[in-house]
Amino acid sequence: MSKILSFFICFLLCCFNSVFSQQHPGEKPEWPENYTVAKPWTRWWWMGNAVDRKNISRNLVALHKAGIGGVEITPIYGVKGEEKNFIDHLSPEWVSMLKYTVKVADSLGMGVDMVMGTGWPYGGPQVAPEHAATRITFRKYQLAPGETFDKKIEPENIEKHKLAQLQYVFAYTDGEKYSDLTPNLDGNHLYWKAGDHHYTLYAVFNDKTGQQVKRAAPGGEGFTLDHYSKEAFDAYTQPYDKALKGMEGDIRAIFNDSYEVYGTDYTPGFFESFKKRRGYDLASYLPQLLDTMPDETGDRVKSDYRETISDILLDNFAGRWTGWAHTKEYKTKLQAHGSPGNLIDLYAASDIPECETFGSMPFDIPGFRREKSDIREGDADRIMLKFASSAAHIGGKPLVSSETFTWLREHFKTALSQCKPEAEELFLAGVNHIFLHGTTYAPQRASWPGWKFYASVNFHPNTTIWEDAPGLFSYIARCQSMLQAGEADNDVLLYWPVYDTWGKTLGGSRFFQFKIHDLNQWLHGTSFYETANTLLDDGYMVDFISDRFVAAAITEKGEIQLPGGKYKAIVVPDCSKMPLTTLKKLITLKKRGGKVIFLGVPESVPGLKDYQEENEKLRELISENGLETASGGEITQKLNRAGIRPEKLAGYGLKFIRRNQEGEKIYYLVNHTDKAVNDIIPIHTKTAGVRIMDPLTGKTGSAQITPQGEYTGVRVDMEPGESLFLKTSEDKSGGIPWTYYEKGQEYPLPGEWTISFEKGGPSLPGTVSGKKPGSWTAYGQEYEAFSGTAKYTIEFDSPKDKAENWQLNLGDVRESARVWLNGKYIGRAWSVPFQLETGPLKEQNNKLEIAVTNLSANRVRDMELRGEEWKIFYNANIVNRNYKKFDAAKWKPMPSGLLGPVLLVPLSVR
């Protein structure tokens, strides 16, 4: 073996042990292998596609060293002054850059995903007008009895509807008798004489929304794709077939962003598809479809219309897209939210369902900062997030990804400590494959602060948070290595009654999208939502199920079997509408030994065709099977009577999720409360041993456990903001025990603090000192402007207490710290609570060094106060969190450094 190879292997092993494992001496590794997919990935913005080989390598190496496992390439608008470096999307030069990216990433053990387009949504120059996103528009004419219609039919506003094509003309009497006048058309001219009735004529136009690709990169400008047309999709793929030839398997996955396709409620051939799928002619009920007032017939037609939109989106785009990707040996990664389709079915049509968070959520953790002036209120509802993970779990998809930290705080104002609980909420909702949103490619020539995407947060080496970002990334990697192990271990399926939404008037709008920003329109306040929250609050592990997956379910040994696993019960919330086929299948599952619990019975089938006859059959089924008397009641009581027990962890204030790995249970516990949990907590399994695993530090140990019947009691100590994994084992020996500490009296550190500035800008201020630690911004204008790292140093004598160990509590840290004691590095403190164990102290002259890194905000503020222009980007350029003009000059300096108080706490083993 060569010296170079030996050195390389040693280097990798050292990195693995120091960054990921951190096991106790002599103990076998407990954490799963640090593989690529366990690490966080990032969306990688290519601004103007102005990329080159040298800087691709430079960017990827920096991401790799920090702990990023892969990139998702999204080309977007460019940087002013860089026009000569722009590369057209899918040009030979662009493909060359893509191939080089894959080559470098592969050499680093990283993965590469890519958007099948630029910006979003799918579209571009290859989208001809006939394949562009489509809408239906109408023009109405009134005819008296015997009146002759003899004119050319055009849209009312031709300038606004330049691409509209007349497709049908229908005539309706006052009694709504329908006639198809389309065969009477001569081009756009209609000659027709009315009979003995008053008639309303509807001219139906196949129109175009005119939507263009948003945030497009050079070479990617053009119409948005018609997502309902398989012909449009097939034409869209042709440039990619050519460009990606020979790259089969090189890309890990193709990504499709959230469905931000506006007002596209139609596609050519819709009426024919509707008739085939729903069994009747939509043209017969066009007036009812267009009526905005509540009406039995109109609402049923609207339900059928919405279901048809969902079906063709699933068949002609989502399913077809995944099939195309598989021919290239690529996976697909889909954000289904925002679409007009059934979210569960759409997410499940991809290989990797992906949800997203947007804005900032509140947490009760003491010391967790959430200044109103720097946030957008978040909408990361746990029930919404679980649509994606449920689709993965029931569909047998091992990965659930998330677009993460979008607009978590204002630009340059996001701390790593503010990221951690947001990531934990995603893990708790079933996500196990986090994508940062995001990282902007920036060449070495770019002046600080570099190239920036219009929305925060930007995870890039030229921001100050990068100094300690490996702490966040290694935490995510440890968590995901466990959360990707085995399979989800959820007990209960909750039926999602989508027809209750589709069957509503919805303000008269026939077209409806399931948006994450408008949950009050379709999710909040529903029986489904309330039941889901009740089950989760009471400690039940829950996934959601759609009608399609109910149809695919079977019973096996009293359990509900789906492609993704087994469940103990299906719960049907109180719902208004349910297809007769779904009710029949639920009853069949129940008769064959499956536990199906009804909290209410449906009042009606959805849709229009034969609904009265179908309703009679529905009522007969309900009556014959005694469902009316068996429905209702309190769900947790019903589950208990069925022998399905909850986890009692919820009663301790802990959030949790559970997985199963070859019979061993993995629990992920998070304390987001304002109080410590120091207790024996019950987990719902019998086991001989439990390993405690700390994903923040990598430490593991054998827990103290107590048998409690069908539960096992596990002693845990968890401060607010902390998390742990519990892993059961039949190994009674348990290995090295977990160390439980009793805390003693807190001691402030006396003495003189010195603050020396090590790296950052715009310049390095001089060294200062004081009796207490504090914000360095208090020392004057030069210090206010500084963003970077400063070292706080103090010498102290040890308190007289006897202690097996000491805890260093740093208090309020702005924003992250690395700590050395007596020249020995003891760790990073980047999240609340900012605490580290120091090990033993010397009796006298202990030297403590704390390198604290603040945010980039103060330096950006200083730049703008001095009139330096850095916002040099096309399109959206840079906006603030409310999408208004960005102006950092109005900010106040952010407190920076070690605010304290810094305390020593003696720890004794109990």
Side-chain angles (χ1 to χ4, degrees):
M1 185 182 295
S2 70
K3 292 182 179 179
I4 294 176
L5 182 58
S6 299
F7 173 82
F8 182 69
I9 292 173
C10 290
F11 172 77
L12 289 179
L13 289 172
C14 288
C15 288
F16 177 84
N17 290 330
S18 63
V19 176
F20 196 78
S21 297
Q22 294 190 22
Q23 301 300 136
H24 293 290
E27 189 174 7
K28 69 176 183 179
E30 294 283 350
W31 297 96
E33 181 186 354
N34 183 14
Y35 50 94
T36 297
V37 182
K39 299 176 183 178
W41 288 35
T42 190
R43 186 170 298 179
W44 199 22
W45 309 108
W46 279 12
M47 302 199 78
N49 289 322
V51 298
D52 61 72
R53 287 171 172 77
K54 178 182 177 181
N55 284 293
I56 285 172
S57 294
R58 181 173 168 270
N59 277 241
L60 288 175
V61 167
L63 294 172
H64 168 69
K65 285 183 177 179
I68 297 295
V71 292
E72 173 196 288
I73 299 171
T74 300
I76 56 165
Y77 54 87
V79 180
K80 295 174 184 177
E82 287 283 334
E83 292 82 0
K84 67 180 185 300
N85 296 314
F86 289 176
I87 303 173
D88 279 350
H89 182 58
L90 295 186
S91 67
E93 188 179 358
W94 189 91
V95 173
S96 175
M97 292 298 110
L98 175 64
K99 289 180 177 178
Y100 184 77
T101 298
V102 170
K103 179 180 178 181
V104 174
D106 186 61
S107 72
L108 296 170
M110 299 176 71
V112 177
D113 291 355
M114 62 174 278
V115 174
M116 197 173 166
T118 77
W120 63 90
Y122 279 11
Q126 74 267 44
V127 179
E130 63 267 26
H131 292 151
T134 306
R135 62 181 173 180
I136 189 169
T137 54
F138 307 90
R139 187 166 186 179
K140 286 173 62 175
Y141 301 91
Q142 301 294 334
L143 270 69
E147 184 178 352
T148 298
F149 188 98
D150 185 6
K151 66 177 72 173
K152 185 178 182 180
I153 298 176
E154 294 178 328
E156 291 185 71
N157 185 337
I158 297 177
E159 282 300 310
K160 190 177 179 182
H161 302 276
K162 290 181 179 179
L163 296 175
Q165 295 179 340
L166 180 64
Q167 195 171 13
Y168 308 104
V169 180
F170 304 124
Y172 302 85
T173 66
D174 292 343
E176 298 178 349
K177 184 179 178 181
Y178 150 69
S179 299
D180 185 358
L181 305 185
T182 307
N184 296 59
L185 284 171
D186 181 9
N188 277 28
H189 187 274
L190 175 67
Y191 178 86
W192 185 72
K193 185 175 181 179
D196 297 333
H197 299 276
H198 287 276
Y199 283 87
T200 300
L201 269 59
Y202 285 88
V204 179
F205 293 90
N206 169 26
D207 202 357
K208 299 298 171 180
T209 67
Q211 183 181 351
Q212 301 278 314
V213 175
K214 192 176 182 180
R215 319 301 185 205
E221 304 89 346
F223 284 121
T224 296
L225 177 69
D226 179 356
H227 286 64
Y228 309 135
S229 166
K230 59 185 177 183
E231 293 80 13
F233 176 78
D234 290 346
Y236 184 75
T237 63
Q238 290 176 12
Y240 292 94
D241 286 327
K242 180 180 178 181
L244 300 175
K245 187 175 182 179
M247 294 189 67
E248 289 77 10
D250 290 348
I251 305 298
R252 196 282 300 255
I254 300 293
F255 172 63
N256 185 65
D257 212 333
S258 55
Y259 192 85
E260 298 179 38
V261 187
Y262 307 120
T264 176
D265 57 6
Y266 189 66
T267 190
F270 182 82
F271 278 78
E272 293 77 11
S273 182
F274 183 98
K275 187 173 183 178
K276 181 179 180 181
R277 294 170 187 272
R278 304 283 86 83
Y280 67 94
D281 189 353
L282 178 61
S284 302
Y285 295 92
L286 196 59
Q288 291 91 336
L289 177 67
L290 301 181
D291 191 1
T292 59
M293 299 303 292
D295 171 76
E296 173 80 4
T297 300
D299 288 349
R300 288 184 176 276
V301 173
K302 289 181 179 69
S303 179
D304 285 334
Y305 166 83
R306 293 161 183 156
E307 184 178 5
T308 303
I309 287 283
S310 178
D311 287 347
I312 60 178
L313 179 61
L314 177 63
D315 294 343
N316 295 346
F317 177 72
R320 200 170 189 85
W321 171 64
T322 295
W324 175 87
H326 288 177
T327 67
K328 304 288 184 188
E329 300 176 40
Y330 306 150
K331 298 182 185 300
T332 54
K333 191 157 63 73
L334 175 66
Q335 293 187 4
H337 45 273
S339 80
N342 186 307
L343 296 184
I344 296 174
D345 297 338
L346 285 170
Y347 279 127
S350 65
D351 297 301
I352 306 173
E354 178 164 304
C355 59
E356 70 171 281
T357 58
F358 194 93
S360 161
M361 299 300 291
F363 296 95
D364 295 331
I365 304 166
F368 177 79
R369 299 194 333 278
R370 190 171 180 266
E371 297 87 348
K372 290 290 184 181
S373 60
D374 295 331
I375 66 165
R376 289 176 63 97
E377 289 295 338
D379 44 26
D381 188 294
R382 64 177 176 173
I383 306 302
M384 179 65 231
L385 294 173
K386 282 184 68 65
F387 275 88
S389 62
S390 294
H393 296 161
I394 64 178
K397 312 297 172 70
L399 295 177
V400 185
S401 59
S402 172
E403 174 188 311
T404 312
F405 308 136
T406 309
W407 282 120
L408 189 57
R409 295 294 189 279
E410 184 58 272
H411 286 283
F412 307 106
K413 288 193 172 185
T414 302
L416 299 172
S417 62
Q418 294 161 338
C419 297
K420 182 172 178 281
E422 301 275 358
E424 289 166 345
E425 283 295 300
L426 290 167
F427 295 150
L428 293 161
V431 169
N432 59 6
H433 189 25
I434 275 180
F435 277 75
L436 309 176
H437 187 279
T439 301
T440 308
Y441 167 97
Q444 196 165 11
R445 63 183 177 273
S447 301
W448 195 91
W451 295 357
K452 302 294 176 189
F453 183 58
Y454 76 88
S456 68
V457 179
N458 190 39
F459 290 91
H460 194 275
N462 60 15
T463 61
T464 56
I465 62 172
W466 200 256
E467 188 72 24
D468 292 307
L472 170 65
F473 299 160
S474 65
Y475 174 77
I476 291 173
R478 289 194 190 96
C479 288
Q480 292 188 160
S481 71
M482 298 294 290
L483 297 172
Q484 291 172 12
E487 58 190 5
D489 190 32
N490 295 340
D491 297 320
V492 177
L493 290 163
L494 180 63
Y495 171 71
W496 182 39
V498 67
Y499 293 96
D500 279 8
T501 298
W502 281 342
K504 292 179 180 178
T505 306
L506 296 173
S509 173
R510 64 186 176 277
F511 182 67
F512 184 79
Q513 295 171 266
F514 294 96
K515 299 178 180 177
I516 61 173
H517 303 306
D518 295 314
L519 298 183
N520 59 308
Q521 294 183 5
W522 64 274
L523 183 60
H524 291 166
T526 63
S527 174
F528 168 82
Y529 184 76
E530 300 303 328
T531 303
N533 276 311
T534 297
L535 288 167
L536 291 170
D537 289 344
D538 288 349
Y540 286 98
M541 305 282 92
V542 182
D543 279 325
F544 309 149
I545 187 170
S546 67
D547 294 88
R548 283 176 185 258
F549 275 93
V550 169
I554 61 173
T555 54
E556 186 176 294
K557 297 180 181 179
E559 294 185 313
I560 309 297
Q561 176 73 56
L562 287 166
K566 297 178 181 179
Y567 294 82
K568 296 178 180 177
I570 296 179
V571 173
V572 181
D574 192 13
C575 59
S576 173
K577 292 182 173 64
M578 180 186 290
L580 185 62
T581 52
T582 299
L583 182 61
K584 286 180 177 178
K585 184 57 180 288
L586 289 170
I587 291 171
T588 298
L589 292 171
K590 189 177 178 71
K591 286 181 176 178
R592 291 178 178 174
K595 296 180 176 65
V596 181
I597 298 172
F598 289 85
L599 300 182
V601 291
E603 301 168 7
S604 172
V605 298
L608 182 67
K609 187 176 188 297
D610 301 331
Y611 79 91
Q612 291 173 325
E613 294 88 340
E614 295 274 285
N615 277 346
E616 185 60 36
K617 294 177 182 177
L618 187 84
R619 287 188 286 269
E620 289 175 2
L621 269 176
I622 290 170
S623 175
E624 289 170 0
N625 291 277
L627 298 184
E628 216 154 29
T629 55
S631 66
E634 207 275 319
I635 180 57
T636 53
Q637 292 179 1
K638 283 176 169 278
L639 287 169
N640 269 307
R641 284 198 295 270
I644 304 170
R645 305 283 183 252
E647 292 286 355
K648 298 178 182 178
L649 292 169
Y652 293 78
L654 295 175
K655 298 175 182 178
F656 59 94
I657 193 170
R658 187 182 68 211
R659 294 184 69 83
N660 180 67
Q661 185 181 24
E662 297 178 352
E664 294 182 344
K665 303 293 184 180
I666 298 171
Y667 288 81
Y668 175 59
L669 313 179
V670 182
N671 185 3
H672 283 168
T673 72
D674 60 354
K675 294 180 174 60
V677 175
N678 306 117
D679 213 331
I680 297 175
I681 61 168
I683 58 174
H684 192 201
T685 185
K686 294 180 179 180
T687 183
V690 174
R691 300 291 293 172
I692 296 180
M693 308 174 72
D694 182 353
L696 189 66
T697 64
K699 293 180 180 178
T700 68
S702 177
Q704 296 177 10
I705 63 172
T706 306
Q708 297 180 353
E710 62 184 274
Y711 293 83
T712 299
V714 184
R715 178 173 290 282
V716 298
D717 294 335
M718 296 180 68
E719 294 291 320
E722 291 186 337
S723 63
L724 292 174
F725 281 94
L726 305 180
K727 186 176 182 182
T728 67
S729 172
E730 292 309 308
D731 181 5
K732 295 182 180 181
S733 64
I736 296 174
W738 182 260
T739 304
Y740 297 91
Y741 286 116
E742 195 75 44
K743 292 185 179 181
Q745 177 185 341
E746 296 178 341
Y747 292 95
L749 288 182
E752 185 89 357
W753 287 89
T754 300
I755 310 174
S756 57
F757 294 82
E758 297 191 323
K759 60 184 295 188
S763 61
L764 292 180
T767 299
V768 292
S769 60
K771 292 294 183 184
K772 292 182 179 179
S775 174
W776 65 61
T777 58
Y779 290 95
Q781 186 174 347
E782 185 182 9
Y783 299 85
E784 283 186 356
F786 179 75
S787 289
T789 302
K791 183 171 285 187
Y792 287 69
T793 305
I794 191 173
E795 293 191 2
F796 66 95
D797 295 337
S798 172
K800 301 303 181 184
D801 296 53
K802 292 183 179 180
E804 283 97 343
N805 199 351
W806 291 86
Q807 182 184 83
L808 178 67
N809 187 336
L810 299 180
D812 189 357
V813 176
R814 303 296 181 95
E815 296 296 336
S816 59
R818 285 165 295 128
V819 181
W820 292 261
L821 178 65
N822 298 324
K824 179 183 177 182
Y825 178 67
I826 64 170
R828 270 191 181 98
W830 58 270
S831 62
V832 180
F834 294 96
Q835 298 172 351
L836 294 169
E837 293 176 15
T838 70
L841 299 175
K842 298 191 299 184
E843 290 187 10
Q844 295 180 320
N845 300 324
N846 292 280
K847 184 179 181 180
L848 182 64
E849 299 169 283
I850 307 171
V852 184
T853 303
N854 71 340
L855 301 178
S856 298
N858 289 351
R859 185 173 175 182
V860 171
R861 170 183 177 270
D862 178 69
M863 287 181 69
E864 298 208 353
L865 284 171
R866 289 189 279 110
E868 293 185 31
E869 188 52 76
W870 61 275
K871 301 184 290 291
I872 54 172
F873 316 111
Y874 283 104
N875 201 285
N877 201 350
I878 293 289
V879 295
N880 70 9
R881 70 194 188 285
N882 296 316
Y883 287 76
K884 305 295 183 184
K885 181 181 178 182
F886 181 91
D887 186 1
K890 294 180 179 179
W891 293 349
K892 294 180 180 179
M894 293 190 73
S896 300
L898 187 61
L899 276 58
V902 180
L903 304 171
L904 276 173
V905 183
L907 302 175
S908 55
V909 177
R910 68 168 188 238

